[in-house]
Amino acid sequence: MTNDTILAQYKIIDILVNLEYEKVYLTEDLNNNNSLCIVRHYIFTDATKNVIIEYLNARQEINRFCQHKNSCYFPSLLKMIILDNEGFLIEAISQGIGLKQLLNNGNLWQENETIEGLKSLLESVKIIHQFKIIHENINIDNVIKSLSK
């Protein structure tokens, strides 16, 4: 990884998360018409390697599961790469409107829309839990109302 590209294919536009074990980038895919995507970069240590690899494999299974159900409540997984000391998930950008943006704009859901939105969110959490993963950060900043639903 150079300072401005990842895996010689993904040009970094912005750093969204910068933790010791995980970095999340908004990128342009240089091999796919500069389309936007998310790159999740996981740094392995002796203590974290097995847990992170287990998560990466589960995320791949979740993607397969969602495609098989013909509905996906998660960003589509475009690619997964595991190297000696690091792993990468490349995800499509979720198309939709953030719940925070909807609330800030005064666009409140009607009761039936709220119920459907909660059902969809809970179905997503149920899928995650089936793969023994806990989503630790569900809040109005990262809940997106899909444009296709």
Side-chain angles (χ1 to χ4, degrees), residues 68-125:
H68 178 70
K69 286 188 64 121
N70 204 18
S71 63
C72 196
Y73 302 97
F74 305 95
S76 294
L77 182 60
L78 303 174
K79 191 184 294 187
M80 181 177 86
I81 300 166
I82 297 177
L83 303 172
D84 287 337
N85 297 314
E86 58 191 342
F88 298 88
L89 289 178
I90 291 77
E91 298 175 334
I93 298 287
S94 295
Q95 298 296 316
I97 300 169
L99 183 55
K100 185 174 185 175
Q101 181 182 352
L102 284 171
L103 294 175
N104 287 341
N105 292 341
N107 297 325
L108 300 178
W109 287 340
Q110 298 296 318
E111 182 178 346
N112 62 330
E113 291 176 303
T114 302
I115 291 169
E116 288 305 311
L118 284 172
K119 283 181 181 178
S120 178
L121 179 62
L122 292 173
E123 180 66 23
S124 300
V125 172

Side-chain angles (χ1 to χ4, degrees), residues 61-74 123-124 126-127 130-131 149:
E61 288 300 314
I62 289 169
N63 194 67
R64 284 190 200 112
F65 179 83
C66 289
Q67 289 175 340
H68 178 70
K69 286 188 64 121
N70 204 18
S71 63
C72 196
Y73 302 97
F74 305 95
E123 180 66 23
S124 300
K126 179 180 172 184
I127 292 168
Q130 287 174 348
F131 289 93
K149 295 185 182 191

